[in-house]
Amino acid sequence: MRPSVIIPIALSLGVDLASAHGYLNYVDYKGVAYGLWQPFSDPYLSPLPLRYDRTILDNGPVVGMTGPNITCNNGGNNPLNVGSITVAAGDSLKLVWDQWNSAHSGPVMTYMAKCTPNCASFKGDTGSPWFKIDQFAYDPTKTPPWGSDYLHAQGAWWKVTIPSSLAAGEYLLRHEILGLHVAQDVNGAQFYPSCVHLKVTGGGSDSPTGVALPGAYDPYDADGILVQLWQINAGQKIYTAPGGPVWTKAAAALQTAVTATSQSYVPTSFAPSVRGAATTTTTSAPPTTTKSTTTTAVLPTTKTSSTSSSRTTTTSSTSSRTTTTSSRTTTTSTGGGTAVGAYGQCGGIGWTGGTSCVSGYKCVYLNDYYSQCQAA
């Protein structure tokens, strides 16, 4: 059954919602593209389509890192009715973003957590179930040196390997970009996590744990979160990504080229995207029903998720602090051009794009080079 579409008003008016930030679009496993939640279209489909990650509210960031949204993004972290991608331990995945603005420099990090008892009931927001399997923070030997900029230069995708010694079972794969472009202020860092459902087969007997999310990210972390990009870029400060080191048994990083080479991702075979759809094959058109021998639909709708020289499993905690910070002057732009979507750039020195925001958002000054559409 094909979902019927109700076009949201914002889309029918041609509002440029895609101008802001980004989110995971597909997971490619062995040439099959598994469709992920589309926040500007999927909520208006009936019935809701089958997706393989937890729903997110939009393509904006999680602002503030000590609340529940940091686990799997803004959207409620609902584990029900999410498809599961069956993968073999030791195999690699390509994580494809819908877009990524390379001006939002920062690390790319990927975690996993074993779902107990299964991913249809596990939220990952308590305890310390998360262990890091991949990281590219700041590497001055690479071009570009920031993980997120390298991702953009590759074509808005990232490759990771499922550790070969993991015990079989159901896991959340939490893939995340941390934007540091306005991180000089407390809670200015912008997190973009996504949580994908996996069913890992084969493997060994390892069941690692490590950090808590929320819990592992400290707003006052002066080495990885509360930082100024220019100091790191100028070699005045050593950058250490938050969330602890990569697990000692994680596979080697796959972003190995000294200089990133752009190669756009074009899916040719799609996993089923309709709940209850039979497994079929397609090599063209947007994802509807398609071929996959590795799909397990969990139908018990919604989704909510570098290189490292040190690889150990640690448990992190953060201290609770109360702070009052002064806010920048907030202005509502009345400039012309296409309305900028939620959390998109709407001003700053040298900015030539739109300066007015979609309904419900206003243009907020963050620094001389960057103003952003934020909730009114």
Side-chain angles (χ1 to χ4, degrees), residues 16-62:
D16 184 14
L17 296 177
S19 64
H21 308 316
Y23 52 88
L24 273 186
N25 202 17
Y26 297 106
V27 172
D28 184 291
Y29 179 56
K30 294 188 173 181
V32 177
Y34 292 80
L36 306 184
W37 185 256
Q38 305 296 303
F40 300 118
S41 59
D42 283 358
Y44 306 97
L45 299 176
S46 180
L48 290 174
L50 175 65
R51 299 303 187 203
Y52 297 87
D53 62 339
R54 296 187 175 175
T55 56
I56 59 174
L57 183 62
D58 51 34
N59 58 359
V62 176

Coordinates of all heavy atoms in Angstrom, one line a residue, residues 16-62:
D16 N 12.2 27.4 1.9 CA 13.5 26.7 1.8 C 13.9 26.0 3.2 O 14.7 26.5 3.9 CB 14.6 27.6 1.4 CG 16.0 26.9 1.2 OD1 16.0 25.7 1.1 OD2 17.0 27.7 1.1
L17 N 13.2 24.9 3.5 CA 13.5 24.2 4.7 C 14.9 23.5 4.7 O 15.5 23.2 5.7 CB 12.4 23.2 5.1 CG 11.0 23.8 5.3 CD1 10.0 22.7 5.5 CD2 11.1 24.8 6.5
A18 N 15.3 23.1 3.5 CA 16.5 22.3 3.3 C 17.8 23.1 3.5 O 18.9 22.6 3.5 CB 16.5 21.7 1.9
S19 N 17.6 24.4 3.7 CA 18.9 25.3 3.8 C 19.5 25.1 5.2 O 20.7 25.5 5.3 CB 18.5 26.7 3.6 OG 17.6 27.2 4.7
A20 N 18.9 24.5 6.1 CA 19.4 24.4 7.5 C 20.0 23.1 7.8 O 19.3 22.1 7.7 CB 18.3 24.8 8.5
H21 N 21.3 23.0 8.1 CA 21.9 21.9 8.7 C 21.7 20.6 8.0 O 21.8 20.5 6.7 CB 21.5 21.8 10.2 CG 21.7 23.1 10.9 ND1 22.9 23.8 10.7 CD2 21.0 23.8 11.7 CE1 22.8 24.9 11.5 NE2 21.7 25.0 12.1
G22 N 21.4 19.5 8.7 CA 21.2 18.2 8.0 C 20.8 17.1 8.9 O 20.8 17.3 10.2
Y23 N 20.6 15.9 8.4 CA 20.3 14.7 9.1 C 20.6 13.5 8.3 O 20.8 13.6 7.1 CB 18.8 14.7 9.5 CG 17.8 14.9 8.3 CD1 17.4 13.9 7.5 CD2 17.4 16.2 8.0 CE1 16.6 14.0 6.5 CE2 16.6 16.4 6.9 CZ 16.1 15.3 6.1 OH 15.3 15.5 5.0
L24 N 20.7 12.3 8.9 CA 20.9 11.1 8.1 C 19.8 10.8 7.2 O 18.6 10.8 7.6 CB 21.2 9.9 9.1 CG 22.6 9.7 9.6 CD1 22.6 8.4 10.4 CD2 23.6 9.7 8.5
N25 N 20.1 10.5 6.0 CA 19.1 10.2 4.9 C 19.0 8.7 4.6 O 17.9 8.2 4.5 CB 19.6 10.9 3.7 CG 18.4 11.2 2.7 OD1 17.3 11.1 3.1 ND2 18.7 11.5 1.5
Y26 N 20.2 8.0 4.5 CA 20.2 6.6 4.3 C 21.3 5.9 5.1 O 22.3 6.5 5.5 CB 20.5 6.3 2.8 CG 19.5 6.8 1.8 CD1 19.8 7.9 1.0 CD2 18.3 6.1 1.5 CE1 19.0 8.3 0.0 CE2 17.4 6.6 0.6 CZ 17.7 7.7 -0.2 OH 16.9 8.1 -1.1
V27 N 21.1 4.6 5.3 CA 22.2 3.7 5.7 C 22.4 2.8 4.5 O 21.4 2.1 4.1 CB 21.9 3.0 7.0 CG1 23.0 1.9 7.2 CG2 21.9 3.9 8.1
D28 N 23.5 2.7 3.9 CA 23.8 1.8 2.8 C 24.6 0.6 3.3 O 25.6 0.7 3.9 CB 24.6 2.5 1.7 CG 24.8 1.6 0.5 OD1 25.6 0.6 0.6 OD2 24.3 1.9 -0.6
Y29 N 24.0 -0.6 3.1 CA 24.6 -1.8 3.5 C 24.7 -2.8 2.4 O 23.6 -3.2 1.8 CB 23.9 -2.5 4.7 CG 24.5 -3.8 5.2 CD1 25.9 -3.9 5.5 CD2 23.8 -5.0 5.2 CE1 26.4 -5.0 6.0 CE2 24.3 -6.2 5.6 CZ 25.7 -6.2 6.0 OH 26.3 -7.4 6.4
K30 N 25.9 -3.0 1.9 CA 26.1 -3.9 0.7 C 25.3 -3.5 -0.5 O 24.7 -4.3 -1.2 CB 25.8 -5.4 1.1 CG 26.8 -5.9 2.1 CD 26.6 -7.4 2.4 CE 27.7 -8.0 3.3 NZ 27.5 -9.4 3.5
G31 N 25.2 -2.2 -0.7 CA 24.6 -1.6 -1.9 C 23.1 -1.4 -1.8 O 22.4 -0.9 -2.7
V32 N 22.5 -1.7 -0.6 CA 21.1 -1.5 -0.4 C 20.9 -0.3 0.5 O 21.5 -0.2 1.6 CB 20.4 -2.8 0.2 CG1 18.9 -2.5 0.5 CG2 20.6 -4.0 -0.7
A33 N 20.1 0.6 0.0 CA 19.8 1.9 0.8 C 18.6 1.7 1.7 O 17.5 1.4 1.2 CB 19.6 3.0 -0.2
Y34 N 18.8 1.9 3.0 CA 17.7 1.8 4.0 C 17.3 3.2 4.3 O 18.1 4.0 4.8 CB 18.2 1.1 5.2 CG 18.5 -0.4 5.0 CD1 19.7 -0.8 4.4 CD2 17.5 -1.4 5.3 CE1 19.9 -2.2 4.2 CE2 17.8 -2.7 5.1 CZ 18.9 -3.1 4.5 OH 19.2 -4.4 4.3
G35 N 16.1 3.5 4.0 CA 15.6 4.9 4.1 C 15.4 5.3 5.6 O 14.9 4.5 6.4
L36 N 15.8 6.5 5.9 CA 15.7 7.0 7.3 C 14.6 8.1 7.3 O 14.2 8.6 6.3 CB 17.0 7.5 7.8 CG 18.2 6.5 7.7 CD1 19.4 7.0 8.3 CD2 17.8 5.1 8.4
W37 N 14.3 8.5 8.5 CA 13.1 9.4 8.8 C 13.4 10.7 8.0 O 14.4 11.3 8.2 CB 13.0 9.6 10.2 CG 11.8 10.5 10.6 CD1 11.8 11.8 11.0 CD2 10.4 10.1 10.6 NE1 10.5 12.2 11.2 CE2 9.6 11.2 11.0 CE3 9.7 8.9 10.3 CZ2 8.2 11.2 11.1 CZ3 8.4 8.8 10.4 CH2 7.6 10.0 10.8
Q38 N 12.3 11.2 7.3 CA 12.4 12.4 6.6 C 11.5 13.4 7.3 O 10.2 13.4 7.2 CB 11.9 12.2 5.1 CG 12.6 11.2 4.4 CD 14.1 11.5 4.2 OE1 14.4 12.6 3.6 NE2 15.0 10.7 4.6
P39 N 12.0 14.3 8.1 CA 11.2 15.1 9.1 C 10.3 16.1 8.4 O 9.3 16.5 9.0 CB 12.3 15.8 9.9 CG 13.5 15.9 9.1 CD 13.5 14.6 8.3
F40 N 10.5 16.4 7.1 CA 9.7 17.4 6.5 C 8.6 16.8 5.5 O 7.9 17.5 4.9 CB 10.5 18.5 5.7 CG 11.4 19.2 6.7 CD1 12.8 19.1 6.5 CD2 11.0 20.0 7.7 CE1 13.7 19.8 7.3 CE2 11.8 20.6 8.6 CZ 13.2 20.6 8.4
S41 N 8.6 15.5 5.4 CA 7.6 14.8 4.6 C 7.0 13.6 5.3 O 5.8 13.4 5.2 CB 8.2 14.4 3.3 OG 9.3 13.5 3.5
D42 N 7.8 12.8 6.0 CA 7.2 11.6 6.6 C 6.0 11.8 7.5 O 5.1 11.0 7.5 CB 8.3 10.8 7.3 CG 9.2 10.0 6.3 OD1 8.9 10.1 5.1 OD2 10.1 9.3 6.7
P43 N 6.1 12.9 8.3 CA 4.9 13.0 9.3 C 3.6 13.3 8.6 O 2.5 13.1 9.2 CB 5.3 14.3 10.1 CG 6.8 14.4 10.0 CD 7.1 13.9 8.6
Y44 N 3.6 13.6 7.3 CA 2.4 13.9 6.5 C 2.0 12.7 5.6 O 1.0 12.9 4.8 CB 2.6 15.2 5.7 CG 3.1 16.3 6.5 CD1 4.5 16.6 6.6 CD2 2.3 17.1 7.3 CE1 5.0 17.6 7.4 CE2 2.7 18.1 8.1 CZ 4.1 18.4 8.1 OH 4.5 19.4 8.9
L45 N 2.6 11.6 5.8 CA 2.3 10.4 5.0 C 1.3 9.5 5.8 O 1.4 9.5 7.1 CB 3.5 9.6 4.6 CG 4.6 10.3 3.8 CD1 5.7 9.4 3.6 CD2 4.0 10.7 2.4
S46 N 0.4 8.9 5.2 CA -0.6 8.0 5.8 C -0.8 6.8 5.0 O -1.2 6.9 3.8 CB -1.9 8.7 6.1 OG -2.8 7.8 6.7
P47 N -0.4 5.6 5.4 CA 0.2 5.3 6.8 C 1.6 5.8 6.8 O 2.3 6.0 5.8 CB 0.1 3.8 6.9 CG 0.2 3.3 5.5 CD -0.6 4.3 4.7
L48 N 2.2 5.9 8.0 CA 3.6 6.3 8.2 C 4.5 5.2 7.5 O 4.2 4.0 7.7 CB 3.9 6.4 9.6 CG 3.3 7.7 10.3 CD1 3.6 7.6 11.8 CD2 3.8 9.0 9.7
P49 N 5.5 5.6 6.8 CA 6.4 4.6 6.2 C 7.3 3.9 7.2 O 7.5 4.3 8.3 CB 7.2 5.5 5.2 CG 7.3 6.8 5.9 CD 5.9 7.0 6.6
L50 N 7.8 2.8 6.7 CA 8.8 2.1 7.5 C 10.2 2.8 7.3 O 10.7 2.9 6.3 CB 8.9 0.6 7.0 CG 10.0 -0.2 7.6 CD1 9.7 -0.5 9.1 CD2 10.1 -1.6 6.9
R51 N 10.7 3.1 8.5 CA 12.1 3.7 8.5 C 12.9 2.9 9.5 O 12.4 2.2 10.3 CB 12.0 5.2 8.9 CG 11.2 6.1 8.0 CD 11.7 6.0 6.6 NE 11.0 7.0 5.7 CZ 10.9 6.9 4.4 NH1 11.4 5.8 3.8 NH2 10.3 7.8 3.7
Y52 N 14.2 3.1 9.4 CA 15.2 2.3 10.1 C 15.9 3.1 11.2 O 16.9 2.6 11.7 CB 16.1 1.6 9.1 CG 15.4 0.7 8.2 CD1 14.9 1.2 7.0 CD2 15.2 -0.6 8.5 CE1 14.2 0.4 6.1 CE2 14.5 -1.5 7.6 CZ 14.0 -0.9 6.4 OH 13.3 -1.8 5.6
D53 N 15.4 4.2 11.5 CA 16.0 5.0 12.6 C 14.8 5.7 13.4 O 13.7 5.6 12.9 CB 17.0 6.1 12.1 CG 16.4 7.1 11.2 OD1 15.3 6.8 10.6 OD2 17.0 8.2 11.1
R54 N 15.2 6.3 14.5 CA 14.1 6.9 15.3 C 13.8 8.3 14.8 O 14.7 9.0 14.3 CB 14.6 7.0 16.8 CG 14.7 5.6 17.3 CD 15.0 5.4 18.7 NE 15.0 4.0 19.1 CZ 15.3 3.5 20.3 NH1 15.7 4.3 21.3 NH2 15.2 2.2 20.5
T55 N 12.5 8.7 14.9 CA 12.1 9.9 14.3 C 12.8 11.1 14.9 O 13.1 11.1 16.1 CB 10.6 10.1 14.5 OG1 10.3 10.0 15.9 CG2 9.8 9.1 13.8
I56 N 13.0 12.2 14.1 CA 13.6 13.4 14.6 C 12.6 14.5 14.3 O 11.8 14.4 13.3 CB 15.0 13.7 14.0 CG1 14.9 13.8 12.5 CG2 16.0 12.7 14.5 CD1 16.2 14.2 11.8
L57 N 12.7 15.6 15.0 CA 11.7 16.7 14.8 C 11.9 17.5 13.5 O 11.0 17.8 12.8 CB 11.8 17.6 16.0 CG 10.8 18.8 16.1 CD1 9.3 18.3 16.1 CD2 11.0 19.7 17.3
D58 N 13.2 17.8 13.3 CA 13.5 18.6 12.1 C 15.0 18.4 11.8 O 15.6 17.4 12.3 CB 13.2 20.1 12.3 CG 13.8 20.6 13.6 OD1 14.9 20.2 14.0 OD2 13.1 21.5 14.2
N59 N 15.6 19.3 11.1 CA 17.1 19.1 10.8 C 17.9 20.0 11.6 O 19.1 20.3 11.3 CB 17.4 19.3 9.3 CG 16.9 20.7 8.8 OD1 16.4 21.5 9.6 ND2 17.1 21.0 7.5
G60 N 17.3 20.6 12.7 CA 18.1 21.4 13.6 C 18.8 20.6 14.6 O 18.7 19.4 14.7
P61 N 19.7 21.3 15.4 CA 20.5 20.6 16.4 C 19.9 20.4 17.7 O 18.8 21.1 18.0 CB 21.7 21.6 16.5 CG 21.0 23.0 16.4 CD 20.0 22.8 15.3
V62 N 20.5 19.6 18.5 CA 20.2 19.5 19.9 C 21.0 20.6 20.6 O 22.2 20.5 20.5 CB 20.5 18.1 20.5 CG1 20.3 18.1 22.0 CG2 19.7 17.0 19.9

